[in-house]
Amino acid sequence: MTEPTIDTARLAEWMDGAGLPGKGEPLEADFLSGGTQNVIYRIRRGDDDCVLRMPPPDAPPDRDKGILREWRIIEALDGTEVPHTAAVGVCPDAAVLGRPFYLMGFVDGWSPMDLHQRKWPAPFDTDLDARAGLAYQLAEGIALLSKVDWKAKGLQDLGRPDGFHERQVDRWTGFFERIKGRDIDGLDVATQWLRTHKPIDFIPGLMHGDYQFANVMYCDGAPARLAAIVDWEMGTVGDPKLDLGWMVQSWPENTEAPSAMSYVDMRGMPSRTDVVDHYAKVSGRQVDDLDYYLVLAKWKLAIVLEQGFQRAGDNEKLLAYGPVIVDLMRSAADLAESSDYR
């Protein structure tokens, strides 16, 4: 597959006109990653280094609005305690590179998605005490995010917090009906439970929407330090505790035992209870209603993955979602039926 390219001359001209660092310096653009939703390039100009993020040419038109939403969130995080990439500049004009794009600071660190053979980088590969810090830092990232004053940051129109939980059930139930290709055991039980249960309290806040090890970067070396939360496609103003539920829905209580979080080695990590307690301490939010968020996260993730499974064709990776989805939905229903949360 040929790596996509961008017009570096046009980009340099735009950056110069916007008064961004590196004016007049030669510009180098290196493709880092990308797919159907976004393409990412590392941009170098002299001593300056940043990252460009934009939809690919064949992405759906709504990704243009999505990329500008991402920019608003990243820009709003400036001046907060949330680990994030610096907001460098945004170009809503598709005439420059073919799609709107933004520039963010380059993060000198590593991503858990870069792991080879599911092996943490040194010293976390052998120092299990140091590895525990990766988990606590992960929880701390969304705890700090939940404390951002989104109204003061001008994000009142980013989401619709009123009726958030009612819309979650209606939206994803309707989504499932549109893609439905099979019945999934436990779906009706979990759906009905979510309709008849609500959080103890709902304090709207900024949320990531897909928070997990895959969407953060860490600084090199120990102790563990979160360098940045990345990939804000699902970012909105909603219920931040759904980020917590999403993060720990498959997190085991005993991290020495095999778990559904098979893409990382969980040995040495704190238990789910300890991670959740750390979130509560940093965020100042109560977590007595965690079961509600776990049911919601498992139920929602199963429906999200079902779309890929229904479109899998002969794609082995997507076909592998089949039994995972069944297990997730059954787990959501079992928790709903056994939970003492009322």
Side-chain angles (χ1 to χ4, degrees):
M1 178 180 176
T2 303
E3 292 182 353
T5 60
I6 55 175
D7 188 333
T8 54
R10 291 293 302 276
L11 176 59
E13 181 182 4
W14 175 82
M15 291 179 69
D16 288 348
L20 297 180
K23 184 173 183 178
E25 297 278 0
L27 186 150
E28 296 179 16
D30 297 316
F31 177 75
L32 294 179
S33 65
T36 58
Q37 294 296 308
N38 297 288
V39 286
I40 305 171
Y41 300 84
R42 184 173 182 176
I43 308 298
R44 294 183 177 91
R45 297 194 81 182
D47 294 331
D48 295 296
D49 208 348
C50 63
V51 172
L52 182 149
R53 185 173 169 95
M54 66 184 290
D58 56 352
D62 62 355
R63 276 305 299 148
D64 290 352
K65 292 182 179 178
I67 210 75
L68 298 178
R69 278 174 59 89
E70 290 182 35
W71 165 260
R72 289 185 64 195
I73 294 173
I74 290 173
E75 188 178 37
L77 293 178
D78 273 2
T80 72
E81 294 182 299
V82 180
H84 65 282
T85 55
V88 176
V90 63
C91 178
D93 184 3
V96 177
L97 294 181
R99 303 296 292 258
F101 63 89
Y102 64 84
L103 299 172
M104 59 185 176
F106 179 77
V107 179
D108 187 10
W110 58 274
S111 164
M113 292 306 288
D114 297 335
L115 300 178
H116 298 292
Q117 300 178 342
R118 300 173 187 164
K119 186 177 180 182
W120 296 106
F124 308 108
D125 54 344
T126 57
D127 187 344
L128 298 189
D129 291 336
R131 187 183 293 179
L134 298 172
Y136 288 124
Q137 281 287 289
L138 185 70
E140 195 159 311
I142 47 169
L144 294 172
L145 181 64
S146 75
K147 299 172 73 171
V148 171
D149 188 341
W150 51 278
K151 291 181 179 179
K153 291 290 185 176
L155 299 179
Q156 292 91 334
D157 61 338
L158 192 71
R160 294 186 295 150
D162 291 344
F164 175 83
H165 287 283
E166 292 78 6
R167 282 198 313 278
Q168 286 287 299
V169 178
D170 290 342
R171 175 188 177 189
W172 291 104
T173 299
F175 178 83
F176 178 79
E177 289 302 320
R178 290 193 297 274
I179 65 167
K180 185 176 179 179
R182 60 175 179 166
D183 292 325
I184 302 179
D185 180 40
L187 174 66
D188 291 343
V189 170
T191 302
Q192 181 58 28
W193 190 89
L194 288 169
R195 290 196 185 281
T196 56
H197 291 73
K198 295 291 182 291
I200 292 174
D201 55 8
F202 170 31
I203 305 170
L206 196 56
M207 58 178 287
H208 181 274
D210 187 18
Y211 196 72
Q212 53 180 311
F213 275 120
N215 287 327
V216 299
M217 294 189 69
Y218 289 94
C219 300
D220 292 319
R225 292 164 295 150
L226 200 64
I229 301 172
V230 296
D231 295 347
W232 292 94
E233 292 102 321
M234 304 298 291
T236 190
V237 173
D239 191 336
K241 281 202 292 187
L242 181 50
D243 278 341
L244 175 65
W246 196 265
M247 184 188 95
V248 303
Q249 58 85 14
S250 61
W251 199 294
E253 198 61 35
N254 175 12
T255 54
E256 299 302 312
S259 75
M261 296 183 69
S262 57
Y263 73 99
V264 292
D265 181 357
M266 294 294 290
R267 290 175 303 160
M269 295 286 182
S271 67
R272 174 196 283 175
T273 297
D274 287 342
V275 169
V276 169
D277 286 348
H278 187 68
Y279 172 90
K281 179 180 178 181
V282 176
S283 69
R285 292 174 181 247
Q286 61 79 23
V287 292
D288 294 337
D289 49 5
L290 180 64
D291 279 358
Y292 172 85
Y293 292 95
L294 292 174
V295 173
L296 177 57
K298 291 173 182 289
W299 173 87
K300 181 177 176 179
L301 181 57
I303 294 173
V304 170
L305 294 179
E306 181 69 8
Q307 181 182 36
F309 177 72
Q310 290 299 328
R311 296 178 177 178
D314 59 358
N315 185 312
E316 292 184 4
K317 181 179 179 181
L318 294 179
L319 286 172
Y321 287 161
V324 174
I325 293 162
V326 172
D327 288 346
L328 267 173
M329 192 61 77
R330 186 65 257 168
S331 177
D334 288 347
L335 178 57
E337 290 182 314
S338 64
S339 174
D340 59 5
Y341 173 62
R342 295 292 180 263

